[in-house]
Every structure is written in C-alpha cells, then in structure tokens.
Amino acid sequence: FYCLQGRYEFTVGQKQFVLTPGGFAAAPAGVPHRFQNLEETPGHLLFGLSPAAGMNAFFRQFAAACAAGKPTLEQLN
C-alpha cells in the first residue's frame, strides 16, 4: 500500500501504525491486515498484488456486496 493522500491507520499482523502521504506498508500473503481512513475527506491509496491469483473473484464478490448496500462482517469474511 502506498499512501497518496490522507492518513490511514493500518494493522498488519500485530503491528499498528499510521500511514501518511509518501508512506508505504506491506501486507504479506496470509497475514491479517486492515486499514481505516482517519480523515473526514476521502483519501487515496495505491496498491498492487503479486501474485494476484485468486484476487479477481474476491474483488468481484466485494463489489457485488457493496452494490447491494453496506456489506455485513459475514460477507466480508
């Protein structure tokens, strides 16, 4: 994750930190991670996946859940 705009609280595994513009965070495969925008205005993150195998289905399902309203925790899991 590369922060372009905003401030984000990140948790990667057991580590917690704040990412600001120009900051970078890595989330290795299999390590639980989360992030939250700390600002009132939208922020922008740039991220890449390597290898991206299997992630296409995740993003399609995530988009469908969001289009139907706010996804439940069960849907996100």
Side-chain angles (χ1 to χ4, degrees):
F1 296 89
Y2 180 76
C3 183
L4 299 170
Q5 179 180 339
R7 285 183 340 132
Y8 290 86
E9 179 181 80
F10 266 79
T11 303
V12 179
Q14 299 298 316
K15 294 180 76 174
Q16 292 185 329
F17 52 93
V18 174
L19 201 63
T20 57
F24 173 81
V31 176
H33 60 280
R34 69 155 198 92
F35 57 92
Q36 177 181 346
N37 183 358
L38 297 174
E39 303 291 328
E40 295 289 325
T41 58
H44 293 91
L45 291 172
L46 176 67
F47 68 95
L49 303 168
S50 178
M55 292 307 294
N56 290 340
F58 168 80
F59 285 112
R60 278 194 297 273
Q61 292 170 1
F62 181 73
C66 289
K70 186 176 179 182
T72 65
L73 184 56
E74 182 178 313
Q75 288 172 308
L76 294 175
N77 285 334

